[in-house]
Amino acid sequence: MSDHKPDIKLLFEPESIAVIGVSQEPGKIGYKILENIVEVGYLGAIYPVNPRGGHALGLDILRSVDEISGEIDVAIIAIPARFVFDAVVNCAKKKVKFLTIISSGFSEVGNLEEEQRILRYTRKNNIRVLGPNIFGHYSSKVSLNATFGPRDIRPGNVAIITQSGALGVAMIGKTAVQNIGLSSIISVGNKSDINEADLLEYLINQEETKIILMYVEGIQDGERLVEVLKRATRVKPVIVIKSGRSIRGAVAAASHTGSLAGSDKVFDAIMRQCGVLRAESIQEALEWSKFLSHTPVPVGSNTIIITNGGGVGVMATDACEKYDIKLYDDQEKLKLTFESVAHGFGSTKNPVDITGEATKADYLKALKEALVDDSIESVIALYCETAMMDSQELTEMIDEMYGQYQAAAKPITFSIFGGERTETAITALHKKNVPVYRDVYDAVSCLGALHFIRKSQSREIEDYTAAKVDLDAVNKLVDSALADGRSFLLAEEGQGLLNAASLPGPRGGVVHSVQEAVSLADKIGYPVVMKVVSRDILHKSDAGGVLLDLENDAEVIDGYQTIIHSCKANVPNAYIDGIEVVEQIKAGTEVIIGGRRDTNFGPTLMFGLGGIYVEVMKDVAFRAVPLSQREIRTMIKEIRSYPLLLGVRGEARKDIESIISALEKVSALISLVPRISDIEINPLVVYEQGSGARAVDIRVLLSDDKEDSKS
Amino acid sequence: MSDHKPDIKLLFEPESIAVIGVSQEPGKIGYKILENIVEVGYLGAIYPVNPRGGHALGLDILRSVDEISGEIDVAIIAIPARFVFDAVVNCAKKKVKFLTIISSGFSEVGNLEEEQRILRYTRKNNIRVLGPNIFGHYSSKVSLNATFGPRDIRPGNVAIITQSGALGVAMIGKTAVQNIGLSSIISVGNKSDINEADLLEYLINQEETKIILMYVEGIQDGERLVEVLKRATRVKPVIVIKSGRSIRGAVAAASHTGSLAGSDKVFDAIMRQCGVLRAESIQEALEWSKFLSHTPVPVGSNTIIITNGGGVGVMATDACEKYDIKLYDDQEKLKLTFESVAHGFGSTKNPVDITGEATKADYLKALKEALVDDSIESVIALYCETAMMDSQELTEMIDEMYGQYQAAAKPITFSIFGGERTETAITALHKKNVPVYRDVYDAVSCLGALHFIRKSQSREIEDYTAAKVDLDAVNKLVDSALADGRSFLLAEEGQGLLNAASLPGPRGGVVHSVQEAVSLADKIGYPVVMKVVSRDILHKSDAGGVLLDLENDAEVIDGYQTIIHSCKANVPNAYIDGIEVVEQIKAGTEVIIGGRRDTNFGPTLMFGLGGIYVEVMKDVAFRAVPLSQREIRTMIKEIRSYPLLLGVRGEARKDIESIISALEKVSALISLVPRISDIEINPLVVYEQGSGARAVDIRVLLSDDKEDSKS
């Protein structure tokens, strides 16, 4: 069925459009949409539809979709919610490919039923739906403004996908004021069908779009979104604003791991994993969009600050740390490059201080030195207003240098601070889209975003080889538990899962004679634990069926007999299946590994140090699955307590390889066995490097409402 | 001598000024300063001085200070560094009270000697010095612009103290552009004499000044600054910008505790302790200054958000969490107040959503409801541009409501988001100083600053009663160690210090017979440790002189004899002074307590959980001493691992009172014994509530170059 889905390209580049619900009254939404389409200059066929007929904007209004002679790529529906389904049925008859349902009154007000009825119908008829509850969409490629928002949208290279209509409409105005051009803006509303991932598939390769900006409130089908985002960010910057970062409003998740997740932390981690830039505020997102759309990606990380004031230089240094920008530090080289410009009380160190005496000529000279020096890969130029340059000189200097840097494809950002003269220069330069900021932190934040993009685009293609797990064995365990009416695995089943995934649980086995017990204990290594195995004995300890700390053969021989005697005495008719001989776990560094089918993102992985570190210090890392070994390593390094794994206070380095391996196994289980919803290994006891790890306890939750294993 | 120091008020409100180094050439600094003084309209006596004489700006230039007939309150020195000392000498002869030394070329370029020569001379002659290396100072009270910066400074109620000249001059222009009026701006430069604390003493009580803004690069005499800041912040908001937050450039401090301090963390903690608002960027500081100077402090914390868009509402909620603003949450009450305005798909919950259909009238109604509702104490009003209001309606609505809120002394902040119409409104409203912001985060940040000020001003007067310590005993220990040529205390001396401060070390004593040993052990409680006491035995364990885990009388009797025998056998001629019987410390929660004479702030206190928490997790809190018990409690609660003290995973609450008591003792020691430079109790083992704590190890560093004990 999915093979017959229309190409999403048609939504952005339709050859014909029907507007269902056109009004003859200016001011009404149906009129406004038609007006925007007609006036902005869309060249394809336009079919206004309204049962009452009539004329609008020089076009005949057709009484029904049936009256349309040609094909319809996109039908825009702007009629009351209760009439929408019938309109959809008519569109299906006309083989309309895309519907954009402007109308509200669906799931956003609790009317989920009607929305799903439409969805079921359109799916069956291979119609894709944008919305409902949207302001429409705009596509510069075909000069299509199919929104009821402002008419004048500045064409450009930023694509906006927004889940909030109000914000989206306001952003149209805002981007125009900020001189940011748009390649498209799409209101996704209730996302009943088309979501961000669908739109990204088109935008990734669309030439006009250089930057993708998304305003997101909730994630749908996050697994696919992650996959598409990973591809998109290799090609062009993706910026996301997601509101609801705060605890207020966050729903307390069910399991222990989940309660930590505080889904915003998961969202944040996964966006970083995908190479997506996350902005806190709209202002920040728009500043980044503008800067990134005009500035070349630097070839490397080496950055220098050039300033005429020490104070702002230090602040820029602080900001570089905040925004993860690497300051170039080769003192010898810096001295050679800048000694001719940092005269007097200046400094050739980074920040390069050309002093308050610096004139236009001094700035030009210093910035040119930085431009021609290949070891300098990006530049932050600061200016504190002095009497040495007037407004015009300042403007000219910046304009000229910006031009030269653009020509050489080397990024530069300016921050200039002062009064009227500075303001005049800023106004003039903003008109030319020169990246000049009033505050040092804003300038550095933009450059930081650019360096993030550089790293994101140059990251290695990740290699996902799912770790080997015995899926048949796992599925058998799951089948039997579910058949038993349980949504969790019993302890023994958990051990079975560990075995099936070759995850190192305590070594051991069940024996049926003293001789076997001794031989197994020797193989395991002392000390060992012995436990009775009997379906008749529920409380093994109470029945005297558990012995710890058995140190040698003699103690195992004694122990075997002691257990049999005690159990027979305490539970007279018990059938004893055998005796379990198990490795006694030595103390080590405890870590927690969690695998969880996240409501938003599907399979996710969690890692942290055990006990207090996770519970009190909230020191955990999250990732979406699948992920490469390299990314798992990064994940482990991300926790604040990572030095404990490297060994502190004279302790040896821990067996990090074992942790990686365990994470890979859990990652495979959670992604390949959809009926497993949660896995928590707590603790995994990790020993010194080379000495492995042991999964001491594993909790597994199941859910029955998933499709079968993918394998 | 300090009694003869002139009142700092004279610097701000002089009756006469001499300008030494006046030039006849416009453009020169000496000319520029005189020009600013004359043109801005200073009404006191003005005496230009230059050995060459002549005329400038209608005034006779005197050839020497001697020629001045009247008294001189302030002499401004703007001549090359090498001539400054002679000018100072002349000024001293004329009994000048204040010097502002504009000239550079002193400690900032390594010429500390000349700066100190001047300082010694002026101190001896009771002259106060501002600078050197400054751009001057401005005081609106007497219309005095004694700077070489811009002439037009808008009078107002923000006082700026700046350590950076370049930034200061640029800030004059910047504040004018941002419509921020200044009561004064003072360049402190090298701070050879007058520093921030001196200036604050005047500004605290100066009526014109409502907000104090400081740009700081380095702290001098921090102990006094802390004391003055604590007083100042009760009266008016103090905002500080301190650059050098980042690790780069931070000097690695000497001791273990110090290495953690990363002085910016200490600075940050102490500013918060003092009730000072710390801004990250100049932009933020100026926005806060402007907002705080116009907005009344709210009577309580209850805040509501009123919005016409859900998206911005959620973002404002996020921002409220970030800036620590409490959202009012009485759903019943909110419903009553807002049900008439949040019709349709709106919401009476906080954020109150009056929907995209909201008109000017709806906004007026909703905001008036919030105004008259006494349980609502501050308001965040958001607007996403819609077709429901044009620019004029938007401007009128905000202007009108702002006026009503001001009249009722209830704080309100606006964030409006959109295109041209919104921009027009913002421009119009900014002219009237209405607090309207382009980004939600900016609006909320300002309100957050205001709530910080509310809490800061309403904090209880702190009660500092120094904990009782036996200072004589402590000083004797210090005397003897210093006399011994040591800059640290030996282990036994450390124990002596614990005793002198009644800090709970392991209980115990030295005995000289088996009987005494048994009786002491009984008193202490088992288990105990026994150790030989002998000046001849350095390595007690090697000599068999230490026994652990002695569980009862019999073991003590045996142990006593065993130790004597072993020691006699191993060190044949050793003189045995006695046997020490000491409590064996039980395991508990380990915390670290540090007292340190900080280079900047003098006595400071540090607290954290022991081991990994401090070393790896960097989970520590700092404070300046003295501090009240209440503040010590806040300090303890501040660490992330605080839940461990409350008891997690079913553990009992720890004896937090013992920690407080130990912090009070260390606080007293570090502040009352200046020759102690560092104290570290690591660990203090803390037991369950009611069961006390034990200081297991104490390290004490001394320094000889301090004045004697204050007591």
Side-chain angles (χ1 to χ4, degrees):
Chain A
M1 199 163 69
S2 64
D3 289 337
H4 300 92
K5 273 189 187 172
D7 186 350
I8 194 83
K9 189 180 174 187
L10 274 184
L11 176 65
F12 288 87
E13 303 171 28
E15 288 182 9
S16 55
I17 287 183
V19 184
I20 298 167
V22 157
S23 168
Q24 288 181 278
E25 257 180 81
K28 292 271 180 184
I29 281 182
Y31 182 90
K32 178 86 178 147
I33 293 173
L34 183 67
E35 193 185 21
N36 278 344
I37 295 173
V38 171
E39 299 288 338
V40 169
Y42 171 66
L43 296 174
I46 307 170
Y47 305 109
V49 178
N50 190 313
R52 275 176 261 165
H55 305 273
L57 296 152
L59 296 169
D60 289 338
I61 299 178
L62 306 172
R63 284 174 196 279
S64 156
V65 175
D66 307 335
E67 293 181 15
I68 299 172
S69 49
E71 285 199 358
I72 309 168
D73 287 339
V74 175
I76 297 161
I77 301 181
I79 55 180
R82 64 187 182 281
F83 303 130
V84 171
F85 185 80
D86 289 343
V88 171
V89 171
N90 287 334
C91 287
K93 284 185 198 144
K94 261 311 274 186
K95 306 269 184 226
V96 168
K97 296 180 189 77
F98 284 87
L99 294 176
T100 71
I101 306 181
I102 305 290
S103 324
S104 51
F106 294 93
S107 65
E108 84 282 6
V109 293
N111 188 4
L112 183 62
E113 209 175 302
E114 185 68 6
E115 190 171 305
Q116 295 208 317
R117 183 179 165 221
I118 294 169
L119 183 63
R120 279 192 303 273
Y121 188 83
T122 52
R123 283 240 166 106
K124 212 169 63 189
N125 289 278
N126 289 316
I127 302 176
R128 300 297 313 264
V129 176
L130 185 69
N133 185 32
I134 59 173
F135 64 79
H137 76 302
Y138 162 79
S139 171
S140 74
K141 179 94 177 178
V142 294
S143 296
L144 172 67
N145 181 347
T147 77
F148 61 77
R151 182 179 313 156
D152 295 324
I153 303 180
R154 185 185 301 263
N157 48 31
V158 178
I160 297 179
I161 302 173
T162 173
Q163 197 172 348
S164 162
L167 255 176
V169 170
M171 265 200 270
I172 294 176
K174 185 73 175 177
T175 49
V177 165
Q178 287 198 242
N179 219 355
I180 297 171
L182 304 182
S183 60
S184 48
I185 181 163
I186 310 106
S187 171
V188 289
N190 299 357
K191 300 197 265 196
S192 70
D193 174 25
I194 294 177
N195 59 27
E196 291 87 353
D198 296 302
L199 300 168
L200 283 167
E201 290 283 13
Y202 168 78
L203 295 170
I204 290 178
N205 297 313
Q206 200 221 23
E207 219 176 300
E208 285 75 11
T209 299
K210 283 197 184 156
I211 313 282
I212 299 165
L213 172 58
M214 307 200 296
Y215 172 82
V216 176
E217 288 176 350
I219 294 293
Q220 269 182 355
D221 192 5
E223 209 171 337
R224 183 169 156 238
L225 181 63
V226 165
E227 187 273 318
V228 180
L229 280 174
K230 281 182 176 175
R231 276 189 284 125
T233 54
R234 290 192 184 284
V235 183
K236 50 189 75 170
V238 179
I239 299 169
V240 67
I241 314 162
K242 182 178 177 293
S243 55
R245 303 170 82 105
S246 59
I247 292 162
R248 199 184 154 102
V251 185
S255 90
H256 169 68
T257 315
S259 71
L260 281 168
S263 65
D264 193 73
K265 198 171 170 178
V266 174
F267 179 85
D268 208 70
I270 292 177
M271 287 305 112
R272 230 176 315 116
Q273 177 188 358
C274 294
V276 172
L277 258 173
R278 183 173 184 191
E280 184 174 45
S281 67
I282 303 188
Q283 183 128 313
E284 187 175 55
L286 292 177
E287 290 292 359
W288 287 350
S289 298
K290 187 167 181 186
F291 185 77
L292 296 174
S293 70
H294 289 101
T295 316
V297 174
V299 293
S301 59
N302 282 328
T303 301
I304 65 152
I305 299 167
I306 294 176
T307 181
N308 71 337
V312 285
V314 177
M315 276 189 277
T317 308
D318 291 346
C320 282
E321 185 171 283
K322 178 174 178 182
Y323 296 109
D324 202 15
I325 292 175
K326 190 191 152 215
L327 288 174
Y328 183 52
D329 238 349
D330 185 336
Q331 301 303 334
E332 294 293 305
K333 192 94 177 45
L334 282 167
K335 197 174 172 193
L336 275 176
T337 306
F338 293 107
E339 65 188 341
S340 65
V341 287
H343 37 59
F345 301 144
S347 165
T348 63
K349 285 181 188 147
N350 195 0
V352 175
D353 188 347
I354 59 174
T355 84
E357 303 296 308
T359 59
K360 179 184 172 188
D362 294 325
Y363 264 99
L364 289 175
K365 197 166 168 207
L367 290 172
K368 272 177 198 161
E369 294 289 357
L371 177 61
V372 297
D373 186 337
D374 282 341
S375 49
I376 294 169
E377 291 152 329
S378 69
V379 175
I380 298 163
L382 310 175
Y383 170 71
C384 256
E385 192 170 302
T386 64
M388 308 304 292
M389 270 193 270
D390 62 22
S391 221
Q392 199 185 334
E393 285 173 315
L394 179 59
T395 310
E396 283 167 3
M397 181 277 284
I398 293 176
D399 196 24
E400 183 181 335
M401 289 321 306
Y402 179 64
Q404 290 192 18
Y405 272 75
Q406 286 293 87
K410 185 181 280 193
I412 186 166
T413 181
F414 297 87
S415 172
I416 66 180
F417 183 77
E420 214 48 62
R421 277 182 286 169
T422 298
E423 276 303 309
T424 308
I426 289 174
T427 307
L429 291 162
H430 276 181
K431 280 194 186 127
K432 297 179 165 190
N433 283 328
V434 178
V436 53
Y437 302 89
R438 289 183 177 82
D439 195 85
V440 165
Y441 276 80
D442 292 339
V444 177
S445 156
C446 287
L447 193 67
L450 190 68
H451 279 285
F452 179 95
I453 294 303
R454 179 181 57 75
K455 281 175 259 177
S456 171
Q457 294 187 348
S458 63
R459 71 193 194 273
E460 278 178 33
I461 300 283
E462 296 189 61
D463 180 22
Y464 312 116
T465 323
K468 231 186 132 230
V469 294
D470 181 347
L471 285 176
D472 286 343
V474 174
N475 278 314
K476 258 179 219 159
L477 289 165
V478 174
D479 287 341
S480 116
L482 289 173
D484 217 26
R486 277 181 283 116
S487 60
F488 57 92
L489 294 190
L490 295 174
E492 287 87 350
E493 293 167 334
Q495 290 300 324
L497 191 76
L498 290 178
N499 292 337
S502 309
L503 272 161
R507 286 178 300 162
V510 175
V511 298
H512 302 89
S513 71
V514 172
Q515 210 169 346
E516 271 180 37
V518 169
S519 131
L520 179 56
D522 284 349
K523 211 173 115 197
I524 293 168
Y526 287 104
V528 296
V529 174
M530 291 172 80
K531 292 181 207 168
V532 69
V533 180
S534 165
R535 63 199 66 183
D536 300 322
I537 301 174
L538 285 180
H539 302 291
K540 293 177 186 183
S541 291
D542 294 351
V546 179
L547 290 173
L548 308 172
D549 283 321
L550 304 173
E551 299 272 7
N552 49 46
D553 291 3
E555 290 186 18
V556 167
I557 293 165
D558 279 358
Y560 191 92
Q561 285 151 355
T562 307
I563 287 178
I564 305 269
H565 287 306
S566 301
C567 290
K568 295 253 179 215
N570 287 305
V571 190
N573 296 319
Y575 177 78
I576 294 176
D577 298 282
I579 303 284
E580 198 182 357
V581 181
V582 192
E583 175 187 12
Q584 182 159 316
I585 297 294
K586 291 189 294 281
T589 302
E590 301 192 352
V591 305
I592 298 182
I593 288 178
R596 158 168 252 253
R597 199 163 299 281
D598 184 86
T599 333
N600 296 323
F601 289 106
T604 56
L605 214 53
M606 177 267 218
F607 171 70
L609 253 70
I612 303 302
Y613 296 97
V614 166
E615 282 173 37
V616 177
M617 308 300 278
K618 315 286 183 212
D619 187 20
V620 281
F622 296 97
R623 287 293 186 282
V625 170
L627 70 174
S628 66
Q629 206 185 79
R630 187 195 179 84
E631 188 67 29
I632 288 180
R633 226 175 259 281
T634 311
M635 179 185 184
I636 295 173
K637 284 185 188 164
E638 202 173 275
I639 59 169
R640 291 193 305 273
S641 46
Y642 178 65
L644 296 188
L645 297 176
L646 291 178
V648 288
R649 307 177 137 204
E651 282 184 12
R653 183 189 163 104
K654 308 301 175 252
D655 201 334
I656 295 172
E657 299 306 317
S658 292
I659 302 176
I660 293 174
S661 163
L663 282 163
E664 287 181 311
K665 298 284 170 60
V666 171
S667 169
L669 285 170
I670 197 76
S671 62
L672 299 177
V673 190
R675 293 181 301 170
I676 295 182
S677 62
D678 269 280
I679 302 174
E680 185 176 295
I681 298 180
N682 182 9
L684 176 78
V685 179
V686 185
Y687 302 111
E688 290 186 7
Q689 186 158 27
S691 305
R694 290 289 180 276
V696 176
D697 198 9
I698 180 165
R699 292 189 323 136
V700 181
L701 301 183
L702 309 173
S703 72
D704 207 1
D705 53 8
K706 304 278 169 183
E707 20 161 357
D708 266 324
S709 168
K710 285 176 182 172
S711 73
Chain B
M1 203 162 68
S2 66
D3 290 337
H4 299 93
K5 274 187 188 174
D7 185 351
I8 196 83
K9 188 180 175 189
L10 274 185
L11 176 66
F12 289 88
E13 303 172 26
E15 289 182 7
S16 55
I17 287 183
V19 184
I20 298 167
V22 157
S23 168
Q24 287 181 279
E25 258 180 82
K28 292 273 180 185
I29 281 181
Y31 183 92
K32 178 87 177 146
I33 294 173
L34 183 68
E35 193 185 19
N36 278 344
I37 295 173
V38 171
E39 299 287 336
V40 169
Y42 171 65
L43 295 176
I46 307 169
Y47 306 109
V49 178
N50 189 313
R52 274 176 263 167
H55 303 275
L57 296 149
L59 295 168
D60 289 337
I61 300 178
L62 306 173
R63 285 173 196 277
S64 156
V65 175
D66 307 334
E67 292 180 15
I68 299 171
S69 48
E71 284 199 359
I72 309 167
D73 287 340
V74 175
I76 297 159
I77 300 181
I79 56 180
R82 64 186 182 282
F83 303 130
V84 171
F85 185 79
D86 289 343
V88 170
V89 170
N90 287 334
C91 287
K93 284 186 199 145
K94 260 313 272 185
K95 305 268 182 232
V96 168
K97 296 181 189 75
F98 282 87
L99 294 177
T100 72
I101 306 181
I102 306 290
S103 323
S104 52
F106 294 93
S107 65
E108 85 281 7
V109 293
N111 189 5
L112 184 62
E113 207 176 302
E114 185 68 5
E115 191 170 304
Q116 295 208 318
R117 184 178 163 219
I118 293 168
L119 183 63
R120 278 192 303 272
Y121 188 84
T122 51
R123 285 240 164 106
K124 212 168 63 189
N125 289 280
N126 288 316
I127 302 176
R128 301 296 311 265
V129 175
L130 185 68
N133 185 30
I134 59 173
F135 64 79
H137 75 302
Y138 162 79
S139 171
S140 74
K141 179 93 178 180
V142 295
S143 296
L144 173 66
N145 181 347
T147 77
F148 62 78
R151 183 177 314 158
D152 295 325
I153 303 180
R154 185 186 301 264
N157 49 29
V158 178
I160 297 178
I161 302 173
T162 173
Q163 197 172 348
S164 161
L167 256 175
V169 169
M171 263 200 271
I172 294 176
K174 185 72 176 180
T175 49
V177 165
Q178 286 198 246
N179 219 355
I180 298 172
L182 304 182
S183 60
S184 47
I185 181 163
I186 310 106
S187 171
V188 289
N190 299 357
K191 299 197 265 195
S192 71
D193 174 25
I194 294 177
N195 59 28
E196 290 88 353
D198 296 304
L199 300 168
L200 284 168
E201 289 285 12
Y202 168 79
L203 295 169
I204 290 177
N205 298 313
Q206 200 222 22
E207 220 175 300
E208 285 76 12
T209 300
K210 283 197 182 153
I211 313 283
I212 300 165
L213 172 58
M214 307 199 295
Y215 172 81
V216 175
E217 287 176 350
I219 294 292
Q220 269 182 356
D221 192 5
E223 209 172 337
R224 181 166 158 240
L225 181 63
V226 164
E227 187 274 317
V228 180
L229 281 173
K230 281 183 175 174
R231 276 189 285 126
T233 55
R234 289 192 185 283
V235 184
K236 50 189 76 169
V238 179
I239 299 169
V240 67
I241 314 161
K242 183 178 175 294
S243 55
R245 302 170 83 104
S246 59
I247 292 161
R248 201 183 152 103
V251 185
S255 90
H256 169 67
T257 315
S259 73
L260 281 168
S263 65
D264 193 72
K265 198 172 171 178
V266 173
F267 180 86
D268 208 70
I270 292 177
M271 287 305 111
R272 231 179 312 116
Q273 178 187 358
C274 292
V276 172
L277 259 173
R278 184 173 184 190
E280 184 174 46
S281 68
I282 302 187
Q283 185 129 312
E284 187 175 54
L286 291 177
E287 290 292 0
W288 287 350
S289 298
K290 188 168 181 184
F291 185 75
L292 296 174
S293 70
H294 289 101
T295 317
V297 175
V299 294
S301 59
N302 282 330
T303 300
I304 65 150
I305 299 167
I306 294 176
T307 181
N308 70 337
V312 285
V314 176
M315 275 189 277
T317 307
D318 291 346
C320 282
E321 185 172 283
K322 178 175 177 180
Y323 296 109
D324 202 17
I325 292 175
K326 189 189 152 217
L327 289 174
Y328 183 53
D329 238 350
D330 185 335
Q331 301 302 335
E332 295 293 306
K333 192 95 177 40
L334 281 167
K335 197 173 173 192
L336 275 176
T337 306
F338 294 106
E339 64 188 346
S340 65
V341 287
H343 36 59
F345 301 144
S347 165
T348 63
K349 285 182 187 148
N350 195 0
V352 175
D353 188 346
I354 58 175
T355 82
E357 304 295 309
T359 59
K360 179 183 169 186
D362 294 325
Y363 264 98
L364 289 175
K365 197 167 170 206
L367 290 172
K368 271 178 200 161
E369 293 290 357
L371 177 63
V372 298
D373 186 336
D374 281 341
S375 50
I376 294 170
E377 291 152 328
S378 69
V379 176
I380 298 163
L382 310 176
Y383 170 72
C384 255
E385 192 170 302
T386 64
M388 308 305 291
M389 268 193 269
D390 64 22
S391 220
Q392 199 185 333
E393 286 172 315
L394 179 60
T395 310
E396 283 167 3
M397 182 277 283
I398 293 175
D399 196 24
E400 182 181 336
M401 289 321 305
Y402 179 64
Q404 292 191 19
Y405 272 75
Q406 285 293 88
K410 186 181 280 196
I412 186 167
T413 180
F414 298 87
S415 172
I416 65 180
F417 183 77
E420 213 48 62
R421 277 183 285 169
T422 298
E423 277 303 309
T424 308
I426 289 175
T427 307
L429 292 161
H430 276 182
K431 279 193 188 130
K432 297 180 166 192
N433 283 329
V434 178
V436 54
Y437 301 89
R438 290 182 176 82
D439 195 85
V440 166
Y441 277 81
D442 292 338
V444 178
S445 156
C446 286
L447 193 67
L450 190 67
H451 279 285
F452 178 95
I453 294 303
R454 178 182 58 73
K455 282 175 258 177
S456 171
Q457 292 186 351
S458 62
R459 71 192 193 273
E460 277 178 34
I461 300 282
E462 295 188 62
D463 181 20
Y464 312 117
T465 323
K468 229 185 134 233
V469 293
D470 181 346
L471 284 176
D472 286 343
V474 174
N475 279 314
K476 258 180 219 156
L477 289 166
V478 174
D479 286 343
S480 115
L482 290 173
D484 216 26
R486 277 181 284 117
S487 60
F488 57 91
L489 294 190
L490 295 172
E492 287 87 349
E493 293 166 336
Q495 291 299 324
L497 191 76
L498 291 178
N499 292 337
S502 309
L503 273 160
R507 287 178 297 163
V510 175
V511 297
H512 301 88
S513 71
V514 172
Q515 211 169 346
E516 271 178 38
V518 169
S519 132
L520 179 55
D522 284 348
K523 211 173 114 198
I524 293 168
Y526 287 104
V528 296
V529 175
M530 292 174 79
K531 292 181 206 168
V532 69
V533 181
S534 165
R535 64 198 64 185
D536 300 322
I537 301 175
L538 287 179
H539 302 290
K540 295 178 185 181
S541 291
D542 294 352
V546 180
L547 291 174
L548 307 173
D549 283 319
L550 304 174
E551 299 271 6
N552 51 46
D553 290 3
E555 291 186 16
V556 167
I557 293 166
D558 279 358
Y560 191 92
Q561 284 151 356
T562 308
I563 287 179
I564 305 269
H565 287 306
S566 302
C567 290
K568 293 256 179 215
N570 285 306
V571 190
N573 296 318
Y575 177 79
I576 295 177
D577 298 284
I579 304 282
E580 198 182 357
V581 180
V582 192
E583 176 188 10
Q584 182 160 317
I585 298 293
K586 291 189 295 279
T589 302
E590 302 192 351
V591 305
I592 299 182
I593 288 177
R596 156 169 254 253
R597 200 163 299 281
D598 184 86
T599 333
N600 296 323
F601 288 107
T604 57
L605 213 54
M606 177 268 217
F607 171 71
L609 254 71
I612 303 302
Y613 296 97
V614 166
E615 282 174 37
V616 177
M617 307 300 277
K618 314 286 183 212
D619 186 20
V620 281
F622 296 97
R623 287 293 186 283
V625 169
L627 69 176
S628 66
Q629 203 183 81
R630 187 195 180 83
E631 188 67 30
I632 288 179
R633 228 174 257 280
T634 312
M635 179 185 183
I636 295 172
K637 283 184 187 163
E638 201 174 277
I639 58 170
R640 292 193 304 275
S641 46
Y642 177 66
L644 296 188
L645 297 177
L646 291 179
V648 287
R649 307 176 137 205
E651 282 184 12
R653 184 189 162 101
K654 307 302 175 252
D655 200 333
I656 295 171
E657 298 308 316
S658 291
I659 302 176
I660 294 173
S661 163
L663 281 163
E664 288 181 312
K665 297 284 169 59
V666 171
S667 169
L669 286 169
I670 197 75
S671 62
L672 299 178
V673 189
R675 292 180 301 168
I676 295 181
S677 62
D678 270 280
I679 301 174
E680 186 175 296
I681 299 179
N682 183 9
L684 177 78
V685 179
V686 185
Y687 302 110
E688 290 185 7
Q689 186 158 25
S691 304
R694 291 287 181 276
V696 176
D697 197 9
I698 179 165
R699 291 191 323 138
V700 180
L701 301 183
L702 309 174
S703 73
D704 206 1
D705 53 9
K706 303 276 171 187
E707 22 163 356
D708 266 324
S709 169
K710 284 176 183 174
S711 72

